[in-house]
Amino acid sequence: RRMKARAPPPPNQPSPASRIPSECKSPAETAVISDQNLVSMKENMINRSVDFTVILPSGVEQKSTVQGSKAVMDLLVDLCSQYRLNPSQHSLELKSSGTQQPLSYKPNTLIGALDVQTVLLKEKVPEEKTKRPLPRVPEKSVRLVVNYLKTQKAVVRVSPEVPLRSIIPAICEKCEVSQEHIVLLRDGITGEELELTKSLEELGIKELYAWDRKREPSRKASVSNDAIEKEKARLLGLFKADRRSSK
């Protein structure tokens, strides 16, 4: 009589902990697994090589590849060194591969953590310093004595370097004379008419006569009357001087 063969041993039984379904795991265990997956994903992103296009300030495009573990600031320094540019005068603008929108980042952000397709190497626009206005140089001026209406005098402060026609408005305002009727004379004796294109400095005078053609009958009569008045004043001055010396 033949003997029956032995039955095969039972398969290995899973441990009690492994038989617990995932939905029955505690939240703490699930969080640990999620954190581990996230760390693994980050490590993969950082350790990978990142290919992108560099657009130089001149508009020239270059292909480049770097490790994802490189910080953005280090990338700026490397690119500037490669293309002989000053890092302090340039900045990086990173654009994503999908939307081509500028990405926000910090200097120590790792390239691998960003979805970078294009890197714009841009020259910084220097901020214009507020220029202080130059101190205003006071305009040179002199006291001009203006004789008018035979016996009247007025003092006007004007520039000695501008043409006479430029100071006529100030003379007319002071002497209440119309610009249409005024004629500037060297003095009230000779009646020499002054050239309006020349300045007081060129003419070498600080006194003149303003003849009003409307209010005074004629230049000759005005000049002769003014000469008489000046001659009277001169004679009076001589008379007073003689009296003082006789005393």
Side-chain angles (χ1 to χ4, degrees):
R1 192 177 176 182
R2 297 176 63 180
M3 300 291 292
K4 291 183 178 182
R6 292 185 178 182
N12 293 332
Q13 298 293 326
S15 62
S18 63
R19 288 200 302 266
I20 300 176
S22 59
E23 58 269 12
C24 297
K25 292 181 180 179
S26 66
E29 291 175 333
T30 304
V32 169
I33 295 174
S34 299
D35 290 344
Q36 289 176 347
N37 292 337
L38 185 60
V39 170
S40 177
M41 289 176 60
K42 286 184 176 180
E43 287 179 351
N44 291 336
M45 291 176 64
I46 292 171
N47 293 329
R48 69 186 176 95
S49 296
V50 179
D51 300 324
F52 52 84
T53 301
V54 180
I55 302 179
L56 302 177
S58 60
V60 177
E61 296 186 5
Q62 299 287 345
K63 298 294 183 180
S64 184
T65 302
V66 297
Q67 286 299 114
S69 57
K70 186 179 290 292
V72 175
M73 184 55 64
D74 295 335
L75 176 62
L76 171 63
V77 174
D78 291 349
L79 291 176
C80 288
S81 175
Q82 181 178 351
Y83 298 108
R84 298 181 180 180
L85 300 173
N86 188 344
S88 63
Q89 297 176 0
H90 293 78
S91 62
L92 293 182
E93 182 178 313
L94 310 181
K95 290 188 176 182
S96 64
S97 57
T99 62
Q100 284 294 311
Q101 294 296 318
L103 299 171
S104 59
Y105 62 88
K106 294 181 180 180
N108 58 351
T109 302
L110 302 183
I111 291 295
L114 300 170
D115 184 19
V116 180
Q117 184 181 35
T118 307
V119 175
L120 280 77
L121 188 56
K122 303 174 70 176
E123 186 175 1
K124 292 181 180 178
V125 178
E127 296 181 2
E128 293 186 1
K129 296 182 179 179
T130 305
K131 296 182 179 179
R132 294 183 179 180
L134 296 175
R136 188 175 180 180
V137 180
E139 185 180 355
K140 183 181 178 181
S141 63
V142 295
R143 294 172 73 254
L144 173 65
V145 178
V146 181
N147 300 283
Y148 66 104
L149 293 180
K150 301 177 184 177
T151 58
Q152 302 296 316
K153 285 183 181 288
V155 177
V156 186
R157 184 164 285 278
V158 294
S159 171
E161 300 173 349
V162 299
L164 290 185
R165 64 164 55 97
S166 300
I167 65 174
I168 283 180
I171 294 174
C172 291
E173 183 180 357
K174 190 73 173 180
C175 303
E176 298 180 355
V177 181
S178 172
Q179 295 188 36
E180 299 175 358
H181 303 127
I182 191 173
V183 178
L184 300 183
L185 308 176
R186 181 175 290 273
D187 52 46
I189 301 174
T190 62
E192 177 189 348
E193 189 170 341
L194 298 172
E195 294 183 35
L196 300 183
T197 56
K198 292 187 176 181
S199 65
L200 295 175
E201 204 167 67
E202 290 174 318
L203 295 169
I205 60 174
K206 292 184 180 179
E207 184 175 359
L208 53 77
Y209 190 94
W211 173 46
D212 187 351
R213 291 179 293 184
K214 184 177 182 181
R215 297 165 67 180
E216 300 180 71
S218 67
R219 184 193 305 185
K220 189 175 292 185
S222 175
V223 168
S224 61
N225 290 334
D226 186 61
I228 292 171
E229 293 297 328
K230 287 197 173 184
E231 184 63 21
K232 285 181 180 180
R234 188 181 70 81
L235 294 175
L236 181 60
L238 292 174
F239 176 72
K240 289 181 179 179
D242 291 340
R243 289 188 61 182
R244 285 195 299 267
S245 61
S246 62
K247 289 181 180 181

